[in-house]
Amino acid sequence: MEATHKPRTVSILADHNIEGWAILLWQIITSEGWSDLCPMKLIMFSDVGLSDNANDRVVWRFAQAQKMILLTANRNMEGDDSLEQTIRNENTLTSLPVLTIANLDSLKNKTYREACAERLLEIVFDLENYLGTARIFTP
């Protein structure tokens, strides 16, 4: 008898500042049935006890330790604990990518949201090929 295995659920951690937008992206993914093909879940800071004002290094380390893709928009390179500096210091070949919305204001446009959702799906479906890539801007 052939053994079957359940695919690992991919967790997406929505940065606190984009939770509302992340929910809209998630609605696109679930309404199209994509989450049925690849088990995924959207997680908010409050779901995992992260403070809304947690610094970038704490958030990145948490996401990596919990095997989550961080979905963000405004994490930057200002200071030693910035997201960009953290990635430069700590990213490895097995680190999960950070998915960064390139233009947060454009998420008001449904076509742009759909493009972001499609890019997120591409990464999730082919995640092994994105390990160690550090940061991916979308769409």
Side-chain angles (χ1 to χ4, degrees):
M1 176 179 271
E2 194 172 308
T4 59
H5 71 284
K6 184 179 177 183
R8 180 179 154 309
T9 299
V10 176
S11 298
I12 311 296
L13 177 62
D15 199 349
H16 175 68
N17 69 313
I18 65 162
E19 288 180 354
W21 292 116
I23 290 168
L24 289 176
L25 290 174
W26 201 250
Q27 288 172 345
I28 292 169
I29 291 168
T30 57
S31 69
E32 297 294 323
W34 292 109
S35 56
D36 296 334
L37 295 175
C38 179
M40 294 180 274
K41 62 183 173 180
L42 180 63
I43 299 171
M44 305 299 173
F45 276 28
S46 61
D47 296 332
V48 293
L50 276 173
S51 167
D52 292 350
N53 62 356
N55 76 39
D56 295 2
R57 189 172 300 273
V58 168
V59 172
W60 187 87
R61 284 179 174 172
F62 180 86
Q64 294 301 315
Q66 300 302 313
K67 307 281 189 236
M68 297 176 174
I69 295 172
L70 176 60
L71 177 64
T72 189
N74 72 347
R75 302 273 171 173
N76 55 49
M77 190 168 172
E78 296 172 7
D80 291 339
D81 288 328
S82 69
L83 182 59
E84 191 63 34
Q85 194 61 50
T86 299
I87 291 170
R88 288 179 183 188
N89 293 343
E90 300 188 26
N91 195 59
T92 69
L93 294 175
T94 59
S95 295
L96 289 167
V98 173
L99 187 59
T100 303
I101 306 296
N103 188 339
L104 192 58
D105 286 336
S106 292
L107 284 174
K108 296 172 186 170
N109 179 296
K110 185 179 179 193
T111 303
Y112 187 84
R113 284 196 311 271
E114 289 172 343
C116 289
E118 287 174 18
R119 184 69 175 125
L120 182 124
L121 289 166
E122 288 173 11
I123 292 164
V124 166
F125 284 127
D126 202 17
L127 191 56
E128 297 78 30
N129 288 323
Y130 290 97
L131 296 177
T133 58
R135 192 171 196 155
I136 302 168
F137 288 87
T138 185

